[in-house]
Amino acid sequence: MQFKTSKGRVKHEISGPLSQAQLAGVDLAGVWLCEQDLRSARFAGANLPGANFFDSDLRGASFAGANLEGACFDGANLEGADLADADLYWASFFMANLRRANLARASLRGADLEEADLIGAVLRNANLGRDNLGGSTQLQGADLSAADLGGACLEGAEYNEDTRFPAGFDPVKAGMIRR
């Protein structure tokens, strides 16, 4: 399989299936991996700014510590994925499944998480400043303890009694909906 940019430039090649691929630390900036089966693939520490994972199956994939600035995960299934310590500045997760994903200490400044499913996700110590968690973003059972929510748009986002927030945070004042 060749990993190509939107202009057809080959960035990397591997043989065998993409699921469980070992791509830790690889430079895959700008590659297009739309509608791919990348379950349990390892991208830890990889350089992936501008990468496109539209509608890909990334269940259980590891992006720990990866540079994903401006990456597109719209419609992707990231259930149980590890994005801890990842740089997700301006990344797009519109309608993505992030159930039980680990986003601890991730930088999500400017990220689009509108209509994303974050049920049971771990966002401890994540920086969510100026991102878009409004609309029908589902945060039921998510752990946002110690997350930086300064500047985050949370109006209309859903939470429940199991959602954990930073000390002193008031979800009602933020315009969130309890479901």
Side-chain angles (χ1 to χ4, degrees):
M1 165 75 180
Q2 292 184 330
F3 293 85
K4 296 180 180 182
T5 66
S6 61
K7 298 188 189 245
R9 181 173 170 235
V10 176
K11 297 284 285 194
H12 191 72
E13 271 186 75
I14 63 167
S15 59
L18 288 177
S19 64
Q20 301 179 8
Q22 300 298 317
L23 298 161
V26 175
D27 181 8
L28 296 171
V31 296
W32 282 56
L33 291 167
C34 303
E35 300 176 342
Q36 297 294 320
D37 180 358
L38 293 158
R39 288 174 290 162
S40 301
R42 298 288 171 243
F43 295 95
N47 188 41
L48 293 152
N52 192 333
F53 294 96
F54 176 81
D55 272 349
S56 287
D57 187 349
L58 295 157
R59 288 176 287 170
S62 174
F63 291 95
N67 176 3
L68 293 155
E69 283 190 30
C72 176
F73 291 96
D74 294 352
N77 186 352
L78 291 140
E79 185 169 348
D82 184 6
L83 295 139
D85 300 301
D87 185 352
L88 298 160
Y89 180 74
W90 287 104
S92 181
F93 293 93
F94 180 72
M95 296 185 70
N97 177 4
L98 289 155
R99 283 181 179 236
R100 295 181 299 283
N102 181 9
L103 293 148
R105 300 170 310 282
S107 176
L108 290 154
R109 296 166 298 118
D112 182 359
L113 291 157
E114 191 168 356
E115 296 189 39
D117 182 345
L118 289 150
I119 294 173
V122 175
L123 293 128
R124 277 189 309 271
N125 297 303
N127 182 347
L128 291 133
R130 298 183 189 262
D131 79 341
N132 187 355
L133 283 166
S136 59
T137 301
Q138 299 176 2
L139 293 163
Q140 294 91 334
D143 182 356
L144 294 152
S145 58
D148 180 357
L149 299 175
C153 175
L154 296 162
E155 190 167 337
E158 300 174 3
Y159 72 101
N160 65 6
E161 65 279 353
D162 296 324
T163 306
R164 291 185 294 217
F165 294 102
F169 179 80
D170 185 347
V172 175
K173 282 186 181 176
M176 297 180 72
I177 301 167
R178 185 175 175 141
R179 298 217 187 220

